[in-house]
């Protein structure tokens, strides 16, 4: 009787062991396949000179007219003040320094000049905000186009990489140049700059070579503002 029980236990252990081994070997390929599927795919990196593309983009008809209109608005707002200041200066240059009327006119000139400078700075700040907004919008659009082109070409990543010779001479500008060139070496065929430029229908050369930011508006103080007339003196 005992021999039969022992035999049954051995058979049971053998069967269970065989089942366990079979199950383990059956599960191993599945686990390996799942691990392979979960493993990260190797990165495929492209480079794009987004700086050069943005430089062209902000000079396009999408952005330039708005800046031109704002510059015209600044000139229109400041022109009457400039004319008034210029007239006051010419009058003070020929006025009798001991004339109380000249002294009052000098005080008026100072007040108008200060008001002019405040207004001019306010308008220029508004223009700077417009330019900054345009650059932000351009960056988003260029980035989206670069992503689209890169995906079509099979790239998983795009690195912003400035190309061409470095023209900066100021040490601070040189640091910016270095930071805008993260790759010291990269294969030329991974550069998608021209494909992105063509996709956005932008010209090959920038409107203002070597100058990324649009020029500041041609609103400058009148010639009289820096050179304040001599203050009239009262009679002793």
């Amino acid at each position: 009787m005992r021999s039969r029980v022992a035999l049954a236990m051995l058979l049971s252990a053998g069967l269970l062991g065989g089942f366990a081994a079979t199950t383990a070997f059956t599960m191993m390929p599945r686990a390996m396949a799942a691990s392979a599927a979960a493993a990260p795919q190797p990165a495929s990196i492209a480079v794009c000179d987004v700086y050069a593309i943005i430089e062209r983009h902000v000079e396009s008809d999408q952005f330039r007219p708005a800046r031109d209109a704002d510059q015209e608005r600044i000139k229109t707002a400041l022109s009457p003040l400039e004319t008034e200041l210029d007239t006051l200066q010419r009058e003070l240059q020929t006025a009798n320094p001991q004339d109380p009327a000249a002294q009052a006119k000098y005080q008026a000139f100072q007040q108008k000049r200060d008001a002019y400078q405040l207004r001019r700075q306010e308008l220029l700040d508004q223009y700077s905000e417009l330019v900054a907004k345009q650059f932000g919008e351009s960056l988003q659009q260029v980035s989206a186009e670069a992503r689209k082109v890169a995906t079509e070409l099979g790239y998983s990543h795009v690195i912003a990489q400035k190309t061409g010779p470095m023209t900066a001479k100021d040490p601070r500008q040189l640091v910016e140049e270095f930071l805008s060139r993260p790759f010291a070496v990269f294969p030329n065929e991974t550069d998608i700059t021209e494909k992105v430029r063509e996709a956005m229908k932008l010209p090959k050369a920038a409107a203002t070579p070597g100058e990324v930011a649009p020029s500041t508006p041609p609103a400058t103080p009148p010639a009289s503002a820096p050179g304040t007339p001599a203050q009239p003196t009262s009679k002793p």
Side-chain angles (χ1 to χ4, degrees):
M1 181 66 179
R2 291 179 179 176
S3 61
R4 291 181 180 178
V5 173
L7 179 60
M9 293 176 64
L10 289 172
L11 289 173
S12 176
L15 288 173
L16 289 174
F19 174 78
T22 303
T23 303
F25 282 111
T26 303
M27 293 176 65
M28 282 179 63
R30 296 176 183 174
M32 292 173 63
S35 176
Q41 299 298 316
S44 179
I45 301 175
V47 299
C48 181
D49 191 345
V50 297
Y51 310 99
I53 296 178
I54 290 174
E55 181 180 354
R56 293 159 175 74
H57 194 210
V58 295
E59 291 296 332
S60 68
D61 291 341
Q62 180 180 348
F63 296 109
R64 186 74 199 185
R67 292 200 309 277
D68 290 343
D70 205 56
Q71 290 179 7
E72 201 60 39
R73 177 180 70 91
I74 293 173
K75 289 173 62 177
T76 301
L78 294 180
S79 181
L81 299 175
E82 293 172 352
T83 301
E84 191 173 2
L85 281 172
D86 186 61
T87 300
L88 281 173
Q89 183 187 25
R90 284 189 280 103
E91 291 175 355
L92 285 170
Q93 288 174 342
T94 59
N96 182 358
Q98 297 179 344
D99 185 357
Q103 296 173 17
K105 187 171 293 186
Y106 177 81
Q107 296 295 328
F109 173 85
Q110 285 187 315
Q111 293 174 357
K112 291 181 181 296
R113 182 195 58 188
D114 292 344
Y116 166 83
Q117 291 175 342
L118 287 173
R119 179 57 176 157
R120 178 178 182 273
Q121 188 59 51
E122 179 185 358
L123 292 170
L124 291 180
D125 287 344
Q126 293 173 4
Y127 179 82
S128 296
E129 290 177 5
L130 171 63
V131 172
K133 180 181 178 182
Q134 288 188 346
F135 269 80
E137 293 176 359
S138 176
L139 174 60
Q140 291 181 350
Q141 294 177 30
V142 172
S143 297
E145 196 63 45
R147 185 183 299 111
K148 180 180 177 182
V149 171
T151 301
E152 292 174 351
L153 296 174
Y155 292 105
S156 60
H157 295 69
V158 179
I159 300 295
Q161 172 79 24
K162 197 169 185 178
T163 57
M166 290 192 297
T167 58
K169 296 180 181 179
D170 183 88
R172 289 169 297 183
Q173 293 178 342
L174 281 173
V175 171
E176 294 178 1
E177 284 275 4
F178 295 153
L179 293 176
S180 64
R181 301 169 188 267
F183 284 169
V185 178
F186 58 88
N188 291 334
E189 59 270 17
T190 63
D191 186 352
I192 63 172
T193 304
E194 280 303 296
K195 291 182 174 61
V196 175
R197 181 192 64 77
E198 291 172 357
M200 298 188 71
K201 297 179 174 59
L202 296 173
K204 288 186 177 182
T208 51
E211 184 177 318
V212 175
S215 57
T216 54
T220 56
S224 59
T228 305
Q231 182 175 4
T233 56
S234 58
K235 293 182 180 180

